[in-house]
């Protein structure tokens, strides 16, 4: 038996006046997902708990059966893992921006003109960084998409209890990183970061990529601004915990990073952007290929575009992306008769909020032996009348493993 | 954005033969609450957990986002706080009755003829009490409504692990208070109480108020009988926890006491009784004034009459009070379009039980962005078909804060 949890990131929403008080999902024309709703059991889900606003990271952690309140200390480690840094317990990881600094240390562009190319070359130089005062601390940079990068500090006596260097507003110097508790570890880590920010500018301000950018009147990527410190957690591998052979099919480093922590295999895809312009054909084909031809029996799948449209407050784009996923992806997935499909979102990203909210998300479980209810349509409002009633993200793995007959009895 | 949680105390019920197997709420004519149900999202709620019978205190504690299993050690502290004693952590508080004792120490009336006036004068004398063996223990009495009072013990080495002095049945002596664990603190506290009961009789048996009552053939309020020991809990202020500016509009000392612990402002009202004869116009006007004109953005409101009717087993009275609240209060509250209203009860007080039960209570949330479901009527049975499905009291603040967009994301 195979199973997949397909998460349409940020798909949940609130009623919108422009859609006649329907949500984008309600208003969208989704014949394939509606068919799945009719053939499945439906419900609503709080990824963490009712009213709690999940991040994509904490929601996925919860859905994979880990307690985000225990595991999650910050986004850095998941980002780092997602872009392929082999983080280990004890590491402190950060999200970074390549930014533009002038010679006075003022940040003139927090995203270095949204640089697309060349950051890999700049990172090669940065990865030779050794701080005089901390020769034993290993400093690992890795570029991510666009102006984004990650930073991992490895060594003795480090802490994730440090503030961000991100000045948030252009025209300011990077913020002095501060210890957030009284420990010597936090003090040391803050000092490392402050020196690292300065040194990054010294090391790459005259990098050929940056000289070229300046010649072209583009802001150089000449300084690294870290934020989102997190300590790398240790978790039991999901394959051991549930006796599965699992894989993750996702577009973004964040989700791949979480899957990597859980020990899932990561299936790479070409041409996926995490936006509404992503290549859904590739995603669909990858899913079908994996389900039909691989040894994996359990999949975490994340399609990100609806969340992006929600963050942008673009209702029409969100609706159209949902319709496109229905047309391109679900039209085929719905035919997988001998597979359990858990279709849901990780959280709502209401158009009106332009950020995540704690509103529950709709769920369909379709598969050979579910108790089919009388819900006829996939939507936030319809799902609430379904046979699952209201569940939590932490129930997902248990429900799937049970339906797949992978679980063991607790008791006799 | 403003929000209010309006609790109709004890409104939930079970089906009654005399109402054609409907509950009082189902049988009542409540056009305004029905309109709110149509315009809102509905569900059922277990204030604590399914089947657990909440007190009004533990239910409100849970609804305000505190864990009653951690915070609640007995009703005393909440009663004491509610009648205005400034209790502090470490205090042990008790509910007390003014009772009538004969010269042999037999309790002839547990409620001192339901005395209405004069207890304030008696308390003035009692507040001079110092026990010879415990000169360092401060003894604070405070009269409440009718024959009720509170007692607070303040000092070193006290415990709430002591039994009640209340004999429960008239014709007996006060019960010897006993330590409920083996600690020296419990032993000491029990001894204090036993001496205090005896001393209260000595101090006020000849109080002018009592002499006058005896002349009028009324039972004198000549002894204090404590019960319901509780240690004063320390909780994080609700305004800090949720970044709100909150106020409580309630009729009874118990609810005000809980709100005071949570650090809410208390809005005083004239002419409210906590019974079915309360002044609902005043309650309505106070709510509207506060919502429209005050700086408060979050309100806990409690209307008590339905609970009283339930305790009295008076189905008709309960139904009529619900109808009156609908007519006098909800007719106006339903018009507050830009306010989130969470309408519910704290527990069921079924007519057949004449006490609280663990049956869930109905919920409506009405407000600008709720996912409206197809429930058309406010009742225990209809609400269960709503879009909220089944939630808990501990979800209320999180859901409200999320809808009001006051919450912060957990994760990224």
């Amino acid at each position: 038996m195979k199973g997949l949890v397909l998460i349409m990131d940020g798909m949940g929403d609130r009623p919108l006046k422009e859609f006649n008080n329907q949500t984008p999902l309600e208003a969208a024309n989704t014949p394939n997902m509606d068919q799945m709703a009719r053939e499945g059991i439906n419900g609503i889900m709080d990824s963490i708990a009712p009213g709690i606003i999940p991040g994509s990271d904490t929601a996925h952690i919860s859905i994979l059966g880990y307690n985000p309140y225990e595991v999650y200390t910050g986004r850095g480690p998941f980002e780092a893992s997602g872009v392929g840094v082999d983080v280990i317990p004890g590491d402190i990881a950060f999200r970074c921006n390549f930014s533009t600094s002038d010679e006075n240390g003022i940040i003139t562009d927090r995203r270095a003109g949204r640089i697309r190319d060349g950051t890999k070359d700049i990172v090669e130089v940065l990865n030779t960084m050794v701080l005089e005062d901390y020769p034993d601390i290993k400093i690992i940079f890795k570029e991510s998409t666009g102006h984004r990068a990650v930073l991992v500090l490895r060594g003795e006596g480090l802490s994730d209890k440090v503030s961000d260097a991100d000045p948030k507003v252009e025209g300011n110097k990077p913020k002095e990183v501060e210890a957030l508790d009284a420990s010597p570890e936090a003090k040391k880590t803050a000092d490392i970061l402050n020196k690292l920010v300065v040194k990054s500018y010294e090391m790459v301000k005259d990098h050929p990529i940056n000289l070229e950018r300046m010649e072209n009147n583009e802001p150089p990527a000449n300084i690294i601004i870290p934020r989102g410190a997190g300590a790398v957690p240790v978790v039991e591998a999901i394959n051991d915990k549930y006796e599965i052979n699992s894989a993750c099919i996702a577009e973004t480093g964040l989700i791949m990073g979480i899957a990597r922590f859980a020990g899932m295999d990561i299936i790479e895809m070409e041409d996926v952007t995490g936006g509404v312009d992503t290549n859904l054909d590739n995603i669909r084909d990858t899913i079908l290929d994996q389900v039909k031809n691989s040894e994996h029996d359990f999949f975490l799948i994340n399609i990100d575009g609806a969340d992006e449209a929600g963050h942008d407050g673009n209702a029409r784009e969100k609706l159209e992306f949902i319709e496109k996923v229905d047309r391109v992806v679900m039209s085929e997935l719905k035919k997988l008769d001998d597979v359990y499909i858990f279709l849901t979102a990780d959280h709502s990203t209401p158009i009106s909020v332009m950020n995540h909210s704690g509103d529950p998300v709709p769920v369909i479980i379709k598969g050979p032996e579910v108790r089919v209810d009388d819900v006829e349509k996939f939507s936030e409002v319809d799902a609430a009348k379904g046979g699952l009633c209201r569940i939590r993200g932490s129930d997902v793995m248990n429900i799937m493993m049970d339906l797949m007959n992978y679980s063991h009895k607790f008791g006799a």
Side-chain angles (χ1 to χ4, degrees), chain A residues 23-49:
Chain A
T23 67
L25 175 61
E26 268 185 294
N29 178 32
T30 54
N32 297 301
M33 295 196 286
D34 293 348
Q35 183 185 341
M36 290 172 69
R38 284 195 300 278
E39 295 175 354
I41 184 169
N42 299 262
I44 55 175
M45 179 175 85
D46 302 289
S47 296
I48 297 176

Short mmCIF file of all heavy atoms in Angstrom, two decimals, chain A residues 23-49:
data_model
loop_
_atom_site.label_atom_id
_atom_site.label_comp_id
_atom_site.label_asym_id
_atom_site.label_seq_id
_atom_site.Cartn_x
_atom_site.Cartn_y
_atom_site.Cartn_z
N THR A 23 -14.51 31.66 -0.42
CA THR A 23 -13.05 31.66 -0.42
C THR A 23 -12.57 31.39 -1.84
O THR A 23 -13.34 30.91 -2.68
CB THR A 23 -12.51 30.56 0.50
OG1 THR A 23 -12.85 29.29 -0.08
CG2 THR A 23 -13.10 30.66 1.90
N PRO A 24 -11.29 31.65 -2.13
CA PRO A 24 -10.78 31.30 -3.47
C PRO A 24 -11.02 29.83 -3.81
O PRO A 24 -11.42 29.50 -4.94
CB PRO A 24 -9.28 31.62 -3.35
CG PRO A 24 -9.22 32.72 -2.35
CD PRO A 24 -10.30 32.41 -1.34
N LEU A 25 -10.82 28.93 -2.86
CA LEU A 25 -11.04 27.51 -3.13
C LEU A 25 -12.51 27.22 -3.42
O LEU A 25 -12.83 26.45 -4.33
CB LEU A 25 -10.55 26.68 -1.94
CG LEU A 25 -10.81 25.17 -2.02
CD1 LEU A 25 -10.11 24.54 -3.22
CD2 LEU A 25 -10.35 24.48 -0.73
N GLU A 26 -13.39 27.87 -2.64
CA GLU A 26 -14.83 27.67 -2.89
C GLU A 26 -15.23 28.19 -4.26
O GLU A 26 -16.01 27.57 -4.97
CB GLU A 26 -15.64 28.47 -1.85
CG GLU A 26 -16.04 27.73 -0.61
CD GLU A 26 -16.94 28.60 0.25
OE1 GLU A 26 -16.45 29.63 0.77
OE2 GLU A 26 -18.11 28.23 0.41
N ALA A 27 -14.68 29.34 -4.61
CA ALA A 27 -15.07 29.99 -5.86
C ALA A 27 -14.43 29.31 -7.07
O ALA A 27 -14.93 29.41 -8.19
CB ALA A 27 -14.67 31.47 -5.82
N ALA A 28 -13.32 28.61 -6.83
CA ALA A 28 -12.60 28.01 -7.96
C ALA A 28 -13.39 26.84 -8.55
O ALA A 28 -14.15 26.17 -7.85
CB ALA A 28 -11.23 27.52 -7.48
N ASN A 29 -13.18 26.61 -9.83
CA ASN A 29 -13.78 25.47 -10.53
C ASN A 29 -12.80 24.30 -10.44
O ASN A 29 -11.78 24.28 -11.11
CB ASN A 29 -14.05 25.86 -11.99
CG ASN A 29 -14.62 24.69 -12.77
OD1 ASN A 29 -15.33 23.86 -12.21
ND2 ASN A 29 -14.29 24.62 -14.05
N THR A 30 -13.10 23.34 -9.57
CA THR A 30 -12.15 22.26 -9.28
C THR A 30 -12.84 20.90 -9.39
O THR A 30 -13.01 20.19 -8.38
CB THR A 30 -11.58 22.43 -7.86
OG1 THR A 30 -12.67 22.51 -6.92
CG2 THR A 30 -10.74 23.69 -7.73
N PRO A 31 -13.22 20.52 -10.60
CA PRO A 31 -13.99 19.27 -10.75
C PRO A 31 -13.24 18.05 -10.25
O PRO A 31 -13.88 17.11 -9.75
CB PRO A 31 -14.24 19.21 -12.26
CG PRO A 31 -13.20 20.10 -12.88
CD PRO A 31 -12.95 21.18 -11.88
N ASN A 32 -11.93 18.03 -10.36
CA ASN A 32 -11.20 16.82 -9.96
C ASN A 32 -11.11 16.68 -8.45
O ASN A 32 -11.30 15.60 -7.89
CB ASN A 32 -9.81 16.84 -10.60
CG ASN A 32 -9.90 16.81 -12.11
OD1 ASN A 32 -10.48 15.87 -12.68
ND2 ASN A 32 -9.40 17.84 -12.77
N MET A 33 -10.84 17.79 -7.78
CA MET A 33 -10.80 17.74 -6.32
C MET A 33 -12.21 17.52 -5.76
O MET A 33 -12.38 16.83 -4.75
CB MET A 33 -10.16 19.00 -5.75
CG MET A 33 -8.68 19.10 -6.15
SD MET A 33 -7.68 20.26 -5.20
CE MET A 33 -8.24 21.83 -5.84
N ASP A 34 -13.21 18.07 -6.44
CA ASP A 34 -14.59 17.82 -5.99
C ASP A 34 -14.93 16.33 -6.10
O ASP A 34 -15.58 15.76 -5.23
CB ASP A 34 -15.59 18.64 -6.81
CG ASP A 34 -15.43 20.15 -6.56
OD1 ASP A 34 -14.73 20.51 -5.59
OD2 ASP A 34 -16.00 20.94 -7.32
N GLN A 35 -14.45 15.72 -7.17
CA GLN A 35 -14.68 14.26 -7.32
C GLN A 35 -13.98 13.51 -6.19
O GLN A 35 -14.55 12.56 -5.61
CB GLN A 35 -14.16 13.80 -8.68
CG GLN A 35 -14.43 12.32 -8.95
CD GLN A 35 -13.80 11.84 -10.26
OE1 GLN A 35 -13.48 12.64 -11.14
NE2 GLN A 35 -13.63 10.53 -10.37
N MET A 36 -12.78 13.95 -5.86
CA MET A 36 -12.07 13.30 -4.75
C MET A 36 -12.83 13.49 -3.43
O MET A 36 -12.89 12.57 -2.60
CB MET A 36 -10.64 13.87 -4.62
CG MET A 36 -9.73 13.45 -5.77
SD MET A 36 -8.13 14.31 -5.76
CE MET A 36 -7.35 13.60 -4.32
N ALA A 37 -13.42 14.68 -3.24
CA ALA A 37 -14.22 14.92 -2.03
C ALA A 37 -15.40 13.96 -1.98
O ALA A 37 -15.71 13.39 -0.93
CB ALA A 37 -14.70 16.37 -1.99
N ARG A 38 -16.05 13.76 -3.12
CA ARG A 38 -17.20 12.84 -3.17
C ARG A 38 -16.79 11.40 -2.90
O ARG A 38 -17.51 10.64 -2.27
CB ARG A 38 -17.89 12.91 -4.55
CG ARG A 38 -18.73 14.14 -4.78
CD ARG A 38 -19.66 13.99 -5.99
NE ARG A 38 -18.92 13.75 -7.24
CZ ARG A 38 -18.35 14.70 -7.99
NH1 ARG A 38 -18.43 15.98 -7.62
NH2 ARG A 38 -17.72 14.40 -9.11
N GLU A 39 -15.61 11.04 -3.39
CA GLU A 39 -15.16 9.65 -3.25
C GLU A 39 -14.38 9.42 -1.95
O GLU A 39 -13.96 8.30 -1.68
CB GLU A 39 -14.27 9.29 -4.45
CG GLU A 39 -15.02 9.32 -5.77
CD GLU A 39 -14.10 9.10 -6.97
OE1 GLU A 39 -12.87 9.02 -6.78
OE2 GLU A 39 -14.63 9.01 -8.10
N GLY A 40 -14.17 10.48 -1.18
CA GLY A 40 -13.34 10.34 0.02
C GLY A 40 -14.08 10.71 1.29
O GLY A 40 -15.30 10.87 1.32
N ILE A 41 -13.30 10.84 2.34
CA ILE A 41 -13.82 11.32 3.61
C ILE A 41 -13.20 12.70 3.84
O ILE A 41 -12.02 12.92 3.54
CB ILE A 41 -13.52 10.33 4.75
CG1 ILE A 41 -14.14 10.80 6.07
CG2 ILE A 41 -12.03 10.06 4.91
CD1 ILE A 41 -14.11 9.73 7.18
N ASN A 42 -14.00 13.60 4.33
CA ASN A 42 -13.59 15.00 4.41
C ASN A 42 -13.57 15.51 5.86
O ASN A 42 -14.19 14.92 6.74
CB ASN A 42 -14.55 15.87 3.59
CG ASN A 42 -14.56 15.49 2.12
OD1 ASN A 42 -13.91 16.11 1.31
ND2 ASN A 42 -15.31 14.44 1.77
N GLY A 43 -12.91 16.62 6.05
CA GLY A 43 -12.86 17.22 7.37
C GLY A 43 -12.07 18.51 7.35
O GLY A 43 -11.62 18.96 6.29
N ILE A 44 -11.93 19.10 8.52
CA ILE A 44 -11.05 20.26 8.64
C ILE A 44 -9.92 19.92 9.60
O ILE A 44 -10.05 19.01 10.43
CB ILE A 44 -11.79 21.54 9.07
CG1 ILE A 44 -12.58 21.33 10.37
CG2 ILE A 44 -12.69 22.03 7.95
CD1 ILE A 44 -13.23 22.61 10.90
N MET A 45 -8.83 20.64 9.45
CA MET A 45 -7.63 20.33 10.23
C MET A 45 -6.98 21.61 10.76
O MET A 45 -6.86 22.59 10.05
CB MET A 45 -6.63 19.58 9.34
CG MET A 45 -5.32 19.22 10.04
SD MET A 45 -4.24 18.20 8.99
CE MET A 45 -3.41 19.48 8.03
N ASP A 46 -6.58 21.55 12.01
CA ASP A 46 -5.69 22.57 12.57
C ASP A 46 -4.29 21.97 12.57
O ASP A 46 -4.02 21.00 13.28
CB ASP A 46 -6.12 22.91 14.00
CG ASP A 46 -7.56 23.40 14.04
OD1 ASP A 46 -7.80 24.52 13.58
OD2 ASP A 46 -8.43 22.65 14.50
N SER A 47 -3.40 22.55 11.80
CA SER A 47 -2.06 21.95 11.68
C SER A 47 -1.40 21.84 13.05
O SER A 47 -0.71 20.86 13.33
CB SER A 47 -1.18 22.80 10.78
OG SER A 47 -1.70 22.80 9.49
N ILE A 48 -1.61 22.84 13.89
CA ILE A 48 -1.04 22.78 15.24
C ILE A 48 -2.18 22.66 16.24
O ILE A 48 -2.34 21.62 16.87
CB ILE A 48 -0.12 23.98 15.49
CG1 ILE A 48 1.07 23.92 14.49
CG2 ILE A 48 0.40 23.97 16.94
CD1 ILE A 48 2.02 25.08 14.55
N ALA A 49 -2.99 23.68 16.37
CA ALA A 49 -4.16 23.64 17.25
C ALA A 49 -5.09 24.77 16.82
O ALA A 49 -4.66 25.72 16.15
CB ALA A 49 -3.74 23.81 18.72
#
